[in-house]
Amino acid sequence: MVSKKVLAEKKVEEFEFDSKKVGKVKYKESDLITLASPMLGFPDLHDFLLLEDDRYVPFMWFHSVEDPEVAFVVLPIKTFFKDYNPKIPKRELKILQAKNLDELELFGIVVVPANPKEATINLRAPLVVNMNKKIAKQIILDDNRWEIKTPLFQQENTK
Amino acid sequence: MLVLTRKIGESIVIGDDVEVKIVAVNGKTVKLGIEAPKNLSVHRKEVYEAICKENIKASAEGDVVNLASLIRKSG
């Protein structure tokens, strides 16, 4: 069932692609989030979408638009790690066109193994997003308080 | 790999915008000073490689719906 959305005053073009992970994805150009620098390991991908759904909330997909097979499970870090307060260098704030940390959302990239209880989140290199300007960057922190493989579930036991 | 020998205080210039200086040598440890444009990131190799590896692992198949229900139960 294909429908073209036509707004009263002007036509807003909708794009779509088939994702291996989430099926059909529809988006407008204004939905796109652009990486200031590519994700390490994925040098050719720059345009992504942040996808939400009740089926996997609180997680979201950070999904490539250029390669429909590439997508990352991400989690807004503050929802589970209330003490997370990394120092983001001023130069990175500038790159993300933000005046301060309040304008940015920090997401952790999640590794989901066969046993989901062993899932880990990368707190050492958060995906930092300026939601208003639709710019993002994975920032490697110079701080070894936070680990690349932080368990998602052990956290619950230490509360 | 290009291998050059430098003394303390000497530098290497890469391209037009990057300089690496030997700041100090202490036994087997070398302290390097790096000047690079702001748009270039500089990282210890092992951290860089670990992040790269982790990103690639993260992009592989995983049951996020199952994970989500688990975390909602425990939250």
Side-chain angles (χ1 to χ4, degrees):
Chain A
M1 201 173 58
V2 178
S3 63
K4 281 212 174 113
K5 290 202 171 196
V6 179
L7 299 186
E9 295 85 53
K10 58 176 182 176
K11 212 177 194 168
V12 177
E13 208 178 344
E14 263 202 350
F15 301 90
E16 68 174 52
F17 63 88
D18 273 311
S19 157
K20 287 227 153 138
K21 326 241 184 187
V22 293
K24 196 151 259 168
V25 178
K26 285 192 182 159
Y27 67 97
K28 303 184 216 49
E29 196 162 333
S30 54
D31 296 328
L32 290 178
I33 295 175
T34 304
L35 288 178
S37 328
M39 304 277 287
L40 297 188
F42 300 86
D44 301 322
L45 305 177
H46 295 87
D47 293 328
F48 285 76
L49 293 170
L50 209 48
L51 305 173
E52 296 183 78
D53 192 286
D54 287 339
R55 285 171 295 162
Y56 41 84
V57 78
F59 299 96
M60 299 161 88
W61 283 105
F62 190 61
H63 206 302
S64 170
V65 160
E66 294 147 300
D67 184 347
E69 298 200 15
V70 175
F72 301 94
V73 174
V74 298
L75 181 69
I77 299 176
K78 277 282 172 153
T79 54
F80 283 87
F81 300 89
K82 310 230 186 279
D83 299 331
Y84 191 66
N85 63 339
K87 189 159 189 274
I88 309 279
K90 278 210 176 94
R91 130 178 71 91
E92 305 284 18
L93 288 181
K94 253 192 175 161
I95 289 170
L96 289 166
Q97 295 177 28
K99 290 193 198 82
N100 54 52
L101 214 52
D102 295 331
E103 294 176 41
L104 302 173
E105 259 235 63
L106 276 65
F107 293 88
I109 293 167
V110 177
V111 174
V112 192
N115 179 0
K117 291 208 171 130
E118 291 170 4
T120 61
I121 186 170
N122 186 345
L123 297 185
R124 184 71 184 269
L127 177 67
V128 185
V129 185
N130 184 335
M131 299 294 278
N132 288 328
K133 298 265 163 80
K134 296 272 190 292
I135 307 174
K137 185 175 174 184
Q138 181 178 31
I139 294 176
I140 302 180
L141 301 172
D142 214 1
D143 183 347
N144 51 15
R145 270 187 297 167
W146 313 104
E147 287 177 36
I148 295 174
K149 292 181 198 275
T150 305
L152 268 182
F153 292 99
Q154 254 170 63
Q155 179 74 3
E156 294 299 316
N157 296 335
T158 62
K159 266 206 209 148
Chain B
M1 174 169 271
L2 175 65
V3 179
L4 300 170
T5 307
R6 303 271 64 198
K7 296 193 180 72
I8 295 175
E10 294 182 333
S11 288
I12 289 166
V13 176
I14 299 170
D16 290 320
D17 305 315
V18 179
E19 180 179 333
V20 180
K21 184 176 184 174
I22 315 296
V23 169
V25 174
N26 214 331
K28 290 195 172 166
T29 307
V30 180
K31 195 177 244 178
L32 300 169
I34 299 128
E35 288 260 26
K38 295 190 172 170
N39 61 305
L40 276 184
S41 60
V42 180
H43 296 289
R44 291 171 176 75
K45 185 176 180 183
E46 58 284 5
V47 175
Y48 177 91
E49 282 185 337
I51 307 283
C52 213
K53 230 170 145 187
E54 199 70 6
N55 281 353
I56 290 172
K57 223 173 153 195
S59 71
E61 214 43 72
D63 191 348
V64 67
V65 175
N66 195 1
L67 178 65
S69 63
L70 249 177
I71 230 177
R72 285 196 295 262
K73 280 192 203 129
S74 68

